[in-house]
Amino acid sequence: MPHPAMSPNHVAVITGGASGIGLAAAMRFAGLGMRVCIADLGAERLTDAAAKLASVAKGGAADIMTASVDVSRFEDVAGLEAAVQKRFGGTDILMNNAGIGPDSNSFGPLENWQRILAVNLWGVIHGTQAFVPHMVERGRPGLVINTGSKQGITTPPGNPAYNVSKAGVKAQTEALQHELRNLPGCKISAHLMIPGHVFTPLTARGRTEKPPGAWTPEQTVDFMIARIEAGDFYILCPDNDVPRQLDEKRMLWAIGDVVENRPALSRWHSDYAEAFARFVKGE
């Protein structure tokens, strides 16, 4: 059985919902009989996504709402919450999923750092503050699903602004779940979605065909729903290239840099290549 929040006529709000994982989640929720609001940027993208959702929604277009929202602006997100209240009566599932990933390094471009943190991290904070108090007051079982990244845990070289944003989402979601579980009578739980390699507009980078190693957004969302049903907080998704066991080894090695006082990001340090390879093999 799906989580009680995923019930007919309950309400799901998904940021970054016009494509990728967000749209796949919206399609699954609509198929379960839920009323769905997707928030994103781009009128044409929202219109196309709404048509797809209406085709599977129990009530057709009447069960689907779209909103043009910049999650980096609190007033946009607060306005979204009020609009959902007015249209559907409240929110049962909030999926803070909007994300971007332009290139960065430690020296810039400054505007890329500012925009990545504004969308990927502040978007989650804004969603939490605008929606979750009302969800708690609603008194019904509910879910807050924040889309993080393995890069927020292992922080590989290549795009530090993205890593920082997703590390922040991890810390924020952990704190949120701790606070929610200690609120008397609260029926809301928070979950950290940690996708693997998923073929989406964010990751495609000009490619038109899914790489063999990537999962589809639909596979990822099916896994997410199953793990929420199982009660997982950390929804650590595999893909066709990386099984969970290898993800676990990489994450354990990353925290080992701190515990064992190794050089930063030693997994990519030439002096530690052999040691990491032995660690992965369990030697």
Side-chain angles (χ1 to χ4, degrees):
M1 291 290 292
H3 186 279
M6 300 180 196
S7 296
N9 299 317
H10 284 208
V11 179
V13 177
I14 304 162
T15 66
S19 64
I21 291 172
L23 180 56
M27 292 289 286
R28 290 291 187 266
F29 294 149
L32 291 170
M34 298 187 68
R35 293 177 289 178
V36 176
C37 173
I38 55 170
D40 214 317
L41 294 174
E44 185 175 343
R45 296 171 66 243
L46 284 165
T47 299
D48 290 346
K52 293 176 183 176
L53 291 166
S55 72
V56 300
K58 181 181 67 174
D63 283 353
I64 304 303
M65 174 181 172
T66 66
S68 179
V69 172
D70 180 349
V71 298
S72 72
R73 295 168 51 88
F74 181 74
E75 54 268 37
D76 277 22
V77 182
L80 173 66
E81 195 281 330
V84 173
Q85 286 256 21
K86 184 176 180 179
R87 172 78 179 269
F88 291 142
T91 300
D92 300 291
I93 297 177
L94 171 65
M95 190 168 179
N96 288 310
N97 173 72
I100 58 172
D103 293 336
S104 71
N105 63 53
S106 294
F107 309 108
L110 179 60
E111 58 270 24
N112 286 6
W113 276 85
Q114 291 170 330
R115 187 62 184 157
I116 289 171
L117 290 173
V119 173
N120 294 4
L121 178 55
W122 277 105
V124 172
I125 296 168
H126 290 160
T128 299
Q129 296 209 353
F131 278 83
V132 178
H134 298 286
M135 293 172 67
V136 173
E137 291 168 6
R138 194 165 166 81
R140 295 175 13 164
L143 298 167
V144 181
I145 305 165
N146 292 338
T147 301
S149 172
K150 294 174 187 179
Q151 289 183 226
I153 301 172
T154 59
T155 61
N159 193 342
Y162 186 83
N163 294 351
V164 168
S165 72
K166 293 301 186 177
V169 170
K170 172 182 176 291
Q172 188 273 346
T173 312
E174 290 168 336
L176 175 62
Q177 173 57 7
H178 173 77
E179 292 174 24
L180 289 173
R181 70 182 175 223
N182 285 286
L183 277 179
C186 179
K187 299 178 182 178
I188 312 296
S189 60
H191 303 263
L192 182 66
M193 173 72 160
I194 312 169
H197 183 194
V198 186
F199 187 60
T200 70
L202 178 64
T203 63
R205 294 188 177 270
R207 292 173 295 190
T208 56
E209 293 188 9
K210 182 183 78 68
W215 268 14
T216 65
E218 291 75 18
Q219 283 176 293
T220 305
V221 169
D222 287 345
F223 184 89
M224 177 191 82
I225 290 174
R227 296 323 304 169
I228 287 174
E229 291 170 6
D232 290 3
F233 170 81
Y234 298 101
I235 304 170
L236 180 60
C237 302
D239 52 46
N240 294 333
D241 276 340
V242 183
R244 183 182 177 97
Q245 184 179 27
L246 180 54
D247 275 327
E248 290 173 353
K249 290 280 190 178
R250 289 172 173 176
M251 292 175 183
L252 286 169
W253 183 271
I255 195 62
D257 282 353
V258 180
V259 176
E260 299 186 25
N261 198 26
R262 294 190 295 249
L265 301 182
S266 70
R267 181 176 145 200
W268 294 273
H269 193 300
S270 59
D271 291 351
Y272 288 81
E274 289 186 16
F276 176 69
R278 290 195 301 271
F279 178 76
V280 168
K281 292 178 181 177
E283 297 176 358

